[in-house]
Amino acid sequence: MRDLLLIFLTLFLQITAARIFGGLFFDFLTPLLLLFSITKPFKETILWTLLIGLLISAVYPQPVLVLLTGFVVAQWLWRVSFFENWRRKPGMVFLAGVTFSFMWQVCGVLFAAVTTDLLSMPLFLPPLLSSFVSAGLFTVIVFRVAMFKAELEGRAW
């Protein structure tokens, strides 16, 4: 139930930010997907990823398969290249968020390149840059909160 509330909160933030800031894409999905990738078993991660992909594709004009491919490829690559001690290093966490965001959004950019002319898309670079920077910042915030919460509960993070 808590995971479902997190997903809906993330989607609400995603949609609200896009409406308020006129199309700039602030990536609230990456911290949530990264957190699921690391804290949950792989099968459960895929289940939540499918749900997120279905909900996002209902809101944004991206096909479900493109979103799911991006999410699953990013999570698989991230699990393969997992560093043990990176969670306590804010610089590495920022880089993790930016890299993870880049990995799943490349699928969307490639889809846009096939279906439309990238050069005709207005303000292509600023939304992409805002997405990467926000993904890194929000990932640092989420992981710092998770680390402090785990320490308060006496668990190892």
Side-chain angles (χ1 to χ4, degrees):
M1 184 65 177
R2 183 183 67 188
D3 293 335
L4 199 56
L5 288 174
L6 274 173
I7 291 171
F8 283 121
L9 175 66
T10 302
L11 290 175
F12 175 76
L13 288 172
Q14 201 71 54
I15 294 166
T16 305
R19 300 271 186 237
I20 290 174
F21 296 108
L24 281 181
F25 185 73
F26 293 98
D27 187 3
F28 293 98
L29 291 172
T30 289
L32 183 66
L33 289 168
L34 255 179
L35 201 59
F36 283 169
S37 299
I38 292 166
T39 59
K40 303 211 174 294
F42 191 67
K43 289 180 182 178
E44 193 175 336
T45 300
I46 297 300
L47 174 71
W48 288 117
T49 302
L50 286 171
L51 179 64
I52 291 171
L54 289 171
L55 292 172
I56 291 291
S57 68
V59 175
Y60 290 103
Q62 284 282 354
V64 177
L65 286 177
V66 172
L67 283 169
L68 291 180
T69 302
F71 291 163
V72 171
V73 165
Q75 286 173 331
W76 179 75
L77 286 173
W78 189 248
R79 280 181 172 260
V80 168
S81 63
F82 184 75
F83 299 109
E84 184 59 37
N85 198 19
W86 68 273
R87 289 181 271 193
R88 292 193 173 271
K89 299 178 181 176
M92 288 289 286
V93 172
F94 179 84
L95 187 60
V98 170
T99 306
F100 193 90
S101 181
F102 176 76
M103 282 190 284
W104 73 262
Q105 288 185 60
V106 160
C107 287
V109 171
L110 291 177
F111 175 75
V114 170
T115 58
T116 62
D117 181 18
L118 277 179
L119 296 176
S120 68
M121 294 175 69
L123 299 173
F124 171 72
L125 199 54
L128 206 55
L129 288 176
S130 71
S131 171
F132 295 153
V133 171
S134 65
L137 291 175
F138 296 135
T139 303
V140 169
I141 291 167
V142 166
F143 276 72
R144 296 303 278 181
V145 167
M147 184 181 76
F148 290 133
K149 181 179 180 253
E151 287 177 357
L152 285 175
E153 294 173 352
R155 292 183 292 129
W157 172 250

